[in-house]
Structures are given as structure tokens and as C-alpha cells.
Amino acid sequence: MSDRDENPAAAIAINGVAVDATGYPTPQAAAARELLRQRAVATGSLADGAEPGVVDAAIERLLELEVATPEPTEEECRRYYEAHARQFTSGELVAARHILFQVAPGVPVNALRARAEFALSELQKAPERFEALARECSNCPSAQHGGNLGQLQRGETVPEFEQALFDGTWTGIGAQLVKTRYGFHIVAVDRRAPGTLRPFDAVHTDIAGRLRERVLRRALEQYVRVLAGRSDVRGVDLDAAATPLVQ
């Protein structure tokens, strides 16, 4: 086994400078930050060997100067608003039930999924059995209430579960299992109460911020790729590097 296989982080180098990826979310993030540090040194805005806090500030100044981030226009904001109207609807309620097949240490995931899929197929043939099956099989405290979760609104459940509940107009037992960090859910929607769409003027600033962040992320990724193309990058692939968040 090579040294690189034993310690991949030690094999990363940017223009001959070794990069320690410890403490970074990915080796790509560590390498991208070193690229930016070296660029700041090359432009004369940072002394080589500066302390981490000074490096962070210099990188932020570098990005402000060299990464163009045009402001989203009102037309772009309106298009986003119209395409994502459900995100700006408040007061929407869903009366739901579920049966949770919980993923736990030592539980074979494939066998658990198969058990959940079998239960779903049985409920599709006999939906009146939902309450009994929830009491028998569900690993959620709601099991004692037949899986009843009451009325839910956006923001009250994990994102994966919320998407299954609110991204649609269906009612009854969901046709597919819903996978979340907790396990596999059989979901039933009993009633929906439509919410009220917030006016564009009330969410304009929020939308502009979302679009600005999206543009900035793409611009940063492209900027890092350009720097990588001009540099000697070893031990890591920066062609699809994630946005280099300053640590």
C-alpha cells in the first residue's frame, strides 16, 4: 500500500504546497482554499505565511474583487416566484397519518424496506387496516393513536417528509414509501386545507437573496476551476469542486 493510500490528505498539493484536509468537509474544499490563498498572495493582498484569520479576510476580499455576482433582476425574481409558488404559500395544512419502519443499528435495511413495501401493498388492497397496522408495526409514538399525526404545516417535519406531504394535491395512502433519516414511512393524507399565497412584494427580498446565492455559488465554482486549470494540482480533482466556503 502506498503512502497516498494510507493518508490521502497528505498527498494533496497545490503548486508544490502540501494541503492538510483535516477539519474540512472534503479534500476538495481544503484544496480550493489553498488555491484561493495562493491567488491572494499572487495579487499582493496577502503575505505568504499569514495567520489563518488574516488569510480568511484576504480570501473574502479577493472574491469580492474577482468574482462577479450580478444582482438578480425583478423579472428573474418574478419568474422564480411564479415557478415556486408553493414555497411562498402560508397557512397550508395537511391532516396526515404514517407508519414508520425505523432504521436502527443492526437492522438489515433491505429486509426492513421489503417489510415496509409488503405492508404498503397490503394497505393498498385494504386501506381500512391502516390504524391496526400502525399500532402493530410503527416505531413512532403516534402508533398508539393509529399513526395519526394530526394537522401539520410546513416546517414541522423533516424536509423529505414535508416534501412528500405538501408537494402535490393527492389524498389517501401514498403510492410509494417515503424515505427519511428515520426510516421508511407509509404515509396517508386525509385532508388538505389550502394556504394563502404571499404577495410578491412581501417575498421579493427573500427571492433575490436565493437567486444571488445561487449565482454566487456557480461563479465561485467556476473561479476555482479556472485557478485549478492554471495550477499544478495533485491528489485531488477540482473539476467539480464544491463551493469553497471560507473556514
Side-chain angles (χ1 to χ4, degrees):
M1 180 180 291
S2 67
D3 291 341
R4 178 175 173 177
D5 291 333
E6 293 175 355
N7 186 5
I12 301 172
I14 306 295
N15 296 320
V17 177
V19 176
D20 182 1
T22 304
Y24 289 85
T26 64
Q28 288 85 355
R33 187 174 187 279
E34 175 59 22
L35 269 174
L36 295 172
R37 187 197 69 81
Q38 292 186 21
R39 175 60 180 170
V41 171
T43 60
S45 59
L46 178 68
D48 206 0
E51 293 296 319
V54 177
V55 173
D56 293 344
I59 288 176
E60 291 201 14
R61 289 194 301 272
L62 174 73
L63 296 177
E64 288 175 1
L65 291 172
E66 298 201 342
V67 179
T69 54
E71 286 293 310
T73 65
E74 180 169 335
E75 181 183 356
E76 289 170 333
C77 291
R78 284 193 178 277
R79 284 203 301 266
Y80 185 93
Y81 175 74
E82 292 167 0
H84 302 84
R86 295 186 70 88
Q87 295 180 11
F88 306 107
T89 298
S90 60
E92 186 179 7
L93 296 174
V94 170
R97 295 171 290 156
H98 83 142
I99 300 173
L100 170 63
F101 294 81
Q102 185 176 24
V103 173
V107 175
V109 175
N110 289 339
L112 185 68
R113 181 195 293 270
R115 183 181 172 212
E117 288 178 341
F118 177 77
L120 176 58
S121 68
E122 291 296 297
L123 285 176
Q124 288 170 338
K125 292 182 288 188
E128 69 278 3
R129 294 187 56 210
F130 195 102
E131 181 177 346
L133 199 60
R135 292 180 182 278
E136 177 185 345
C137 301
S138 185
N139 300 113
C140 175
S142 65
Q144 60 185 315
H145 305 294
N148 188 8
L149 296 171
Q151 289 191 334
L152 300 172
Q153 58 186 343
R154 290 183 184 273
E156 292 187 332
T157 67
V158 294
E160 315 93 287
F161 197 81
E162 178 177 301
Q163 181 177 0
L165 287 180
F166 289 96
D167 289 4
T169 59
W170 59 277
T171 56
I173 297 175
Q176 305 292 333
L177 296 176
V178 176
K179 174 69 171 69
T180 72
R181 69 195 69 172
Y182 300 112
F184 302 97
H185 306 251
I186 297 174
V187 180
V189 171
D190 296 325
R191 296 179 306 280
R192 294 183 179 274
T196 302
L197 180 63
R198 299 170 65 192
F200 174 75
D201 289 344
V203 296
H204 184 192
T205 301
D206 179 40
I207 293 173
R210 296 186 193 189
L211 295 180
R212 192 181 303 113
E213 181 180 353
R214 180 188 298 178
V215 171
L216 176 60
R217 185 176 296 273
R218 286 200 297 261
L220 288 174
E221 290 173 353
Q222 181 60 27
Y223 182 66
V224 168
R225 291 190 185 100
V226 170
L227 292 181
R230 298 172 180 170
S231 305
D232 179 14
V233 178
R234 298 177 182 269
V236 66
D237 181 7
L238 290 179
D239 182 58
T243 302
L245 298 177
V246 177
Q247 300 297 311

